[in-house]
Amino acid sequence: MTLVDPAGAAPPEAPPDPIDRLEALFGDAGAPGNPVGRDAVLAADALGSMLSAGENLLDDFGLNTHFVPQALGGRFTGLEELIGVMRAVYRRDPSLGLGYGAGSFMAAVNVWTSGSTEQRTWLADHLLAGGRVACGYHELAHGNDFARAELTALPMPDGRLRVNGRKEVVANLDRAGAMVLFARTDVAPGSRSHSQFLLEQDRLPPETVTRLARFGTVGMRAVPLGGIEFTDCPVPADAVVGTPGHGLETAQRSFQLTRIALPGMTVGLLDTALRTALRGARGRRLYGGTAADLLLSRTVLAEAFADMLLADAFITVAARTAHTATAQCAVYASAVKLLVPALVMAAVNRLSELLGSQFYLRSGEQPLFQKLQRDVLPSAFGHASRVSCQSALLPQLPLTARRTWNADHGPTLSDTTFRPAEPLPPLDFGALKITAGGRDPLSRSLLQGAERRTGEDAAIAALAAEHAADVRALSVEAARLTPDQLGPGAPPEAFDLTTRWAGSLAAASCLGLWWERPSGGQGLGGDPAWVRAALHRLGAHTGGHHGPLPEPLSESLYAELVRRHDAGLTFDHACRSTGA
């Protein structure tokens, strides 16, 4: 029944949820003949080519609009919805997710952060018209060490810049109308010797550009990767994004958003890997029953489910801190990139063990799982390796100990951060900072919650107290670090402190979501089992213990996993309907 107001006018209908709409467009992944189903995905992967039907579907859906800020005519309002949309794509085909859209977002966010009004307007129009933008940062000789990039863009007498050098592995290079290029603009050493450029590819003199052959890859082999070599290529001076010489700072600020978003998208891959392994375990005959009848198999599945809930909780909170604690996003982004990709990769690798010797066959569930296990590999380094994230966190530890963990009055975090259903303030790209200035309101929320939230669940209260004690211990050890222990030459035990910090932030995220949970939620809802299981798994990933998930928790999560699978629901906290 449609409600009407006293004047007789029907209330406006709420716009359709974009994630639900995208899931409906993808349809049942297992349906025979589905042009974007599992069989089609595997066929495209075998050919090493993008799933064309998937790209057409995303064109019709208007995926590019989700990369463009709302103020520029797009639909991007923040990381949380973007992650949800892209997770639906990664759940169907990670190569489609990276090859169609993630690369464009990685490039564009630099322009949204530091570009001129003209650059932002032009790139928004380009993307809204269905165009792509490539992200030319890495050089194989230097990996994620952007400060050592050798590609140069040096001044010419007429005011333009002359580009020389190469970028070897760039997604969508040959079919992108635009490119964001990272280049050295000063031969002097230092952090102010690089700039970024927004280039229109069809305006580059063709005789100055050489296309390089694609490097072979183990995973994401359908993603169109290309290389480019510049020889005395002139580019206009107004192509510089932001202040000349500040390219490294722009990258450090803008990549905070992608270091949260890309691992969040990759959780969709784990969803499908877990779904595929569960089908395989329930269908594999073993010892007079099925593999799923074995307690060990159910424990492995339950632990992967707990890993996914842990990762999703951390990502959800980190994505929301981009709005509520923007100036501290540098810490949370590095912590997510440090912890989540390794967690996802370990979960996928362990799930492969459930397939046993059948893993090597090209029938049943095996081919899809083999593809997922290959595709998850790049997520561990992407545009920021584990070590580079640790290097970003390490020098911030002593100041954080003084200003947050040892201070009587420190930064606080809005409760809205832990309430995914509530709206957020607009994302302010200009408020992103290179460092957090010693302020960490997320870990402080853990310290405060451990003191104040003691009466709801005894087991969770004990876990909160345990993690709060670890933060205090971490504070003591951080205060002892000497200046020579804060740089790249720091000893391993110093880097280990950053892993503990990331673990504390993940714990704070899980506990904050629990403490601020709404009544009558979906999925596990108010059941504390997911929090206990997630924090148990966090201890396993950060070296706190090596024990399996206790059987009562394992059986509880396995039952929920089967329920969601059979009901066609996703395994993350959103618990959405899906045809996968």
Side-chain angles (χ1 to χ4, degrees):
M1 178 181 295
T2 301
L3 299 177
V4 296
D5 63 22
E13 292 186 8
D17 182 276
I19 305 172
D20 289 342
R21 178 170 165 254
L22 182 55
E23 291 283 6
L25 288 172
F26 274 122
D28 183 354
N34 183 346
V36 292
R38 286 194 288 271
D39 291 344
V41 168
L42 289 171
D45 183 69
L47 295 173
S49 62
M50 290 291 289
L51 180 63
S52 58
E55 295 204 288
N56 293 337
L57 183 152
L58 295 178
D59 284 339
D60 294 340
F61 172 72
L63 183 61
N64 273 12
T65 65
H66 291 273
F67 308 144
V68 178
Q70 201 170 53
L72 293 170
R75 298 178 181 173
F76 177 81
T77 57
L79 293 181
E80 194 172 11
E81 181 173 273
L82 173 66
I83 289 170
V85 168
M86 289 299 297
R87 189 176 291 177
V89 183
Y90 270 70
R91 191 159 44 243
R92 302 311 177 103
D93 181 10
S95 293
L96 182 62
L98 178 61
Y100 185 100
S104 285
F105 180 70
M106 285 179 59
V109 72
N110 294 276
V111 180
W112 309 149
T113 300
S114 299
S116 66
T117 300
E118 292 76 16
Q119 288 172 329
R120 290 196 297 266
T121 301
W122 183 88
L123 185 57
D125 291 343
H126 176 71
L127 287 169
L128 293 174
R132 293 181 174 87
V133 54
C135 190
Y137 283 83
H138 299 284
E139 296 173 13
L140 286 180
H142 305 296
N144 290 308
D145 190 358
F146 294 156
R148 296 180 64 192
E150 296 180 35
L151 184 141
T152 60
L154 301 177
M156 298 171 62
D158 62 3
R160 295 181 297 171
L161 297 107
R162 180 185 290 115
V163 181
N164 283 285
R166 56 165 51 191
K167 301 288 184 182
E168 296 92 343
V169 183
V170 183
N172 284 326
L173 179 65
D174 290 339
R175 57 185 194 158
M179 177 197 315
V180 173
L181 186 70
F182 186 86
R184 176 176 288 278
T185 47
D186 193 324
V187 295
S191 61
R192 295 290 174 85
S193 297
H194 297 83
S195 301
Q196 297 187 40
F197 297 83
L198 176 61
L199 304 177
E200 298 177 54
Q201 292 218 64
D202 60 4
R203 298 183 64 180
L204 301 176
E207 68 276 9
T208 67
V209 175
T210 302
R211 302 291 175 173
L212 306 177
R214 187 192 196 280
F215 279 84
T217 57
V218 175
M220 298 286 190
R221 58 193 188 190
V223 174
L225 297 173
I228 188 168
E229 184 169 10
F230 298 92
T231 305
D232 294 333
C233 178
V235 300
D238 63 2
V240 174
V241 177
T243 304
H246 287 234
L248 189 59
E249 293 177 24
T250 294
Q252 288 176 323
R253 290 168 58 221
S254 61
F255 281 175
Q256 293 170 28
L257 302 181
T258 56
R259 287 179 180 181
I260 296 171
L262 267 68
M265 298 173 192
T266 308
V267 168
L269 183 156
L270 178 55
D271 185 297
T272 299
L274 184 52
R275 196 175 306 273
T276 305
L278 176 59
R279 283 197 303 265
R282 294 172 82 184
R284 181 184 172 205
R285 302 302 300 176
L286 197 65
Y287 304 123
T290 68
D293 293 331
L294 301 178
L295 176 60
L296 176 60
S297 296
R298 296 197 301 274
T299 300
V300 170
L301 290 162
E303 289 181 343
F305 185 23
D307 288 344
M308 184 168 177
L309 293 170
L310 167 62
D312 187 30
F314 193 11
I315 288 162
T316 297
V317 170
R320 293 178 70 83
T321 63
H323 298 255
T324 62
T326 314
Q328 287 76 52
C329 196
V331 163
Y332 306 140
S334 292
V336 164
K337 192 66 172 62
L338 167 60
L339 185 64
V340 172
L343 182 155
V344 171
M345 182 184 297
V348 172
N349 287 338
R350 189 154 183 242
L351 285 170
S352 70
E353 299 171 4
L354 290 182
L355 301 175
S357 60
Q358 296 183 2
F359 175 77
Y360 300 97
L361 301 178
R362 295 293 294 173
S363 60
E365 304 295 341
Q366 284 73 249
L368 178 59
F369 199 97
Q370 291 162 11
K371 169 180 160 54
L372 296 173
Q373 192 167 25
R374 293 193 307 269
D375 286 352
V376 77
L377 295 174
S379 70
F381 50 91
H383 65 287
S385 67
R386 180 180 176 88
V387 172
S388 66
C389 291
Q390 290 179 306
S391 298
L393 289 171
L394 182 56
Q396 300 190 64
L397 269 168
L399 188 59
T400 303
R402 291 197 301 272
R403 291 187 174 176
T404 297
W405 300 329
N406 294 331
D408 292 333
H409 302 284
T412 58
L413 197 59
S414 167
D415 292 342
T416 305
T417 307
F418 303 106
R419 299 170 182 168
E422 293 191 5
L424 291 164
L427 175 59
D428 182 359
F429 290 94
L432 294 165
K433 305 295 182 183
I434 295 177
T435 69
R439 293 172 174 82
D440 177 9
L442 181 53
S443 64
R444 191 169 183 86
S445 73
L446 167 61
L447 297 174
Q448 293 172 332
E451 293 178 356
R452 302 172 184 172
R453 307 280 194 134
T454 58
E456 298 181 11
D457 181 280
I460 292 179
L463 289 168
E466 179 182 321
H467 284 283
D470 192 59
V471 171
R472 295 188 186 95
L474 178 61
S475 176
V476 173
E477 295 179 58
R480 294 173 181 160
L481 291 170
T482 58
D484 63 317
Q485 294 177 316
L486 301 178
E493 56 269 22
F495 280 99
D496 288 344
L497 298 182
T498 65
T499 303
R500 287 172 54 190
W501 190 7
S504 295
L505 295 171
S509 300
C510 293
L511 290 164
L513 289 173
W514 167 255
W515 287 327
E516 298 298 328
R517 68 195 181 280
S519 58
Q522 288 181 301
L524 297 177
D527 186 347
W530 81 263
V531 186
R532 298 175 191 168
L535 294 181
H536 187 279
R537 292 298 297 159
L538 176 62
H541 287 290
T542 56
H545 64 80
H546 301 286
L549 200 62
E551 186 173 345
L553 285 179
S554 174
E555 292 296 283
S556 175
L557 262 67
Y558 178 75
E560 174 66 12
L561 183 69
V562 170
R563 184 192 74 82
R564 292 196 191 191
H565 175 275
D566 294 348
L569 301 173
T570 61
F571 297 147
D572 55 12
H573 286 279
C575 196
R576 289 178 174 273
S577 177
T578 173

